[in-house]
Amino acid sequence: MSQSSKNSLTDLRDEIDSLDSDILELLNRRAAASLAVGAIKAGSSDQIFKPFREQEVLRGLTGRNPGPLPAEHLEAIYREIISSSRRLQRPERVVYLGPEGTFSYFAGLQHMGRQADLIPKNNFEDIFVAVSKGEADLGIIPLENSLKGTVGQNVDLFMRYPVFIQAELYHRISHGLISKGIPLSEIKTVYSHSKALEQCTGWLRANLPGAELVSVESTAKAAQMVSESSEPIAALGHVKLANIFGLHVVAESIEDQPDNWTRFLIIGPKPGKEGKRDKTSILFTTPDRPGALVSVLNELSGHSINMTKLESRPFLGEKWKYMFFVDLQGDLGAEEHESLIEDLKARCLTFKILGSYPAGSQNGSKF
C-alpha cells in the first residue's frame, strides 16, 4: 500500500471516528427525550407501543434517505433505536410461542427489537391468557400463512379472551432441514410444527420418501429434540436454529413455494387508540336464518367498506353453529361509524371489534 493510500485511509478512519462521536451524541439526546416522554407517561396506563407512530417514523426516514445507506439497513438500525426508546420509557413484556427460535420469536425480534423482553409460552392459549390478565403487555401470534391458510386455533381464542389487535406484520418464511450432521440418506424421522411440515411436503416426499413426519408444538421444540437425541432424526425450521442448538444445516430454502408469507398479529389487553388506523378486524355470529350473513355484508357494502377477508369457524360448544372472522379496510372504531356498529350489533347474535390498527407492509423481509 502506498504512503498516499495509507494517508487517505487514515483520514477516512478519522472521519468515521468523528462521525461516530456525532452519532453517539445524537443518540444520547434522543434517549434523553425518550426518558422525558416516559416521565410524562409515568403512572398512566398509556401504551408504550405505538405501531402507527413507529411506522410513520420509519416511512419518513426511508422516504428522505438519499443513500448510499440501503433502506433495509436504515430500517433495521431504527428498529433497534425505537426498541431502545420504548425500553427507556417502560420495559415491555412480549410473549410468543416458544421456545427461543420459533418463527414467532424471530418475528418479535425483528419487529419489536432486541430491547423488548421476549418471553416464551408453551402454547397459543397461554399467550392469550397472559395478555388478557395483564401478565404481559403484548403478545405475538401467527394468524395465517399465504400457502396453508389460517391458524384456526388463534381465531377461536379471540372469541374466548378479551384481547385486541394492535398491529400486523408480514414476513416471508423460509425453512431449512437441520440435524446433528448426519447425511440426508440416513434421516429416519423429521420433526416440526404441522404448518412447517405442510409447507415442505413436496420437498420431503422427493428427498426423504421413507422418513416419518412428526408434528410437535413448534419448530424450535423440534430442534431442541434433535439436539438432545442420538437417533437419526432432523428438524424443520429457521436455519438460525442450527446456531441456537449447535446443529448443522442439511438443506436450505426447502419450502415448496418460494412466495411463502406469514401474517403475524401483535395483541394487547386494550384497543389501540392511535389517531390513524386503516384496517379493522371483527368477529361475529349471526342468527340461524336465511339471509342473516348477507344482511351484515350488505350493511358493510352500503357504507362503502371493503372486505379483504371472510372466514367461518365452528362456534365452540355449539354444534353446527359458526362464527365469522372478517378483515375490513378502514377504521371501524372511528366516531363516524358509531351508527353502523349499532346496526351491525342488531343484526348479529354476538359482535366484537378485535381491533383497528395500521395495515402492515407486505414487503417484509425473509427470515
Side-chain angles (χ1 to χ4, degrees), residues 19-203:
L19 289 169
D20 283 342
S21 295
D22 292 342
I23 291 170
L24 180 61
E25 180 184 354
L26 290 171
L27 286 174
N28 277 291
R29 286 173 58 186
R30 195 184 197 284
S34 294
L35 285 168
V37 170
I40 293 172
K41 292 181 178 179
S44 76
S45 59
D46 191 22
Q47 184 171 285
I48 299 299
F49 179 56
K50 301 287 187 181
F52 175 72
R53 169 61 180 158
E54 293 181 9
Q55 186 183 83
E56 188 178 47
V57 168
L58 291 171
R59 285 179 177 173
L61 288 166
T62 54
R64 299 193 302 272
N65 179 28
L69 182 68
E72 59 268 27
H73 293 190
L74 177 64
E75 183 169 334
I77 291 166
Y78 262 85
R79 285 280 184 199
E80 294 303 327
I81 291 174
I82 291 171
S83 178
S84 173
S85 295
R86 280 195 247 105
R87 178 84 182 199
L88 289 170
Q89 291 178 41
R90 187 171 68 233
E92 290 176 304
R93 299 154 298 174
V94 184
V95 289
Y96 67 95
L97 179 65
E100 181 181 336
T102 61
F103 284 101
S104 293
Y105 167 78
F106 288 112
L109 197 63
Q110 192 160 337
H111 194 80
M112 302 300 296
R114 296 179 183 276
Q115 297 310 311
D117 285 332
L118 294 173
I119 303 167
K121 291 294 181 181
N122 292 327
N123 53 63
F124 291 132
E125 185 163 14
D126 285 350
I127 295 172
F128 279 78
V129 169
V131 173
S132 65
K133 289 186 175 181
E135 297 168 357
D137 299 289
L138 300 168
I140 297 174
I141 59 165
L143 180 73
E144 59 182 323
N145 177 264
S146 59
L147 302 182
K148 295 300 179 180
T150 299
V151 182
Q153 180 187 358
N154 283 335
V155 176
D156 299 341
L157 290 168
F158 273 116
M159 181 64 85
R160 296 175 55 193
Y161 294 98
V163 302
F164 300 89
I165 302 170
Q166 309 293 314
E168 65 175 4
L169 42 146
Y170 293 86
H171 286 286
R172 204 171 71 141
I173 305 294
S174 183
H175 296 291
L177 188 72
I178 57 180
S179 74
K180 282 189 170 180
I182 60 175
L184 186 65
S185 59
E186 295 181 15
I187 295 173
K188 303 299 181 185
T189 308
V190 178
Y191 294 88
S192 193
H193 190 275
S194 59
K195 292 292 183 182
L197 292 170
E198 289 174 8
Q199 291 163 21
C200 302
T201 300
W203 189 95

Side-chain angles (χ1 to χ4, degrees), residues 154-263:
N154 283 335
V155 176
D156 299 341
L157 290 168
F158 273 116
M159 181 64 85
R160 296 175 55 193
Y161 294 98
V163 302
F164 300 89
I165 302 170
Q166 309 293 314
E168 65 175 4
L169 42 146
Y170 293 86
H171 286 286
R172 204 171 71 141
I173 305 294
S174 183
H175 296 291
L177 188 72
I178 57 180
S179 74
K180 282 189 170 180
I182 60 175
L184 186 65
S185 59
E186 295 181 15
I187 295 173
K188 303 299 181 185
T189 308
V190 178
Y191 294 88
S192 193
H193 190 275
S194 59
K195 292 292 183 182
L197 292 170
E198 289 174 8
Q199 291 163 21
C200 302
T201 300
W203 189 95
L204 291 169
R205 284 176 179 168
N207 294 275
L208 290 170
E212 181 183 7
L213 308 181
V214 181
S215 175
V216 294
E217 306 95 280
S218 69
T219 53
K221 176 64 176 177
Q224 182 182 1
M225 291 171 64
V226 172
S227 70
E228 296 172 352
S229 174
S230 59
E231 299 297 317
I233 63 177
L236 193 63
H238 198 299
V239 293
K240 288 184 179 179
L241 286 169
N243 295 329
I244 293 173
F245 292 99
L247 300 171
H248 299 273
V249 178
V250 180
E252 295 187 51
S253 301
I254 64 173
E255 57 275 8
D256 295 335
Q257 299 291 333
D259 197 26
N260 181 8
W261 293 74
T262 291
R263 175 189 175 197

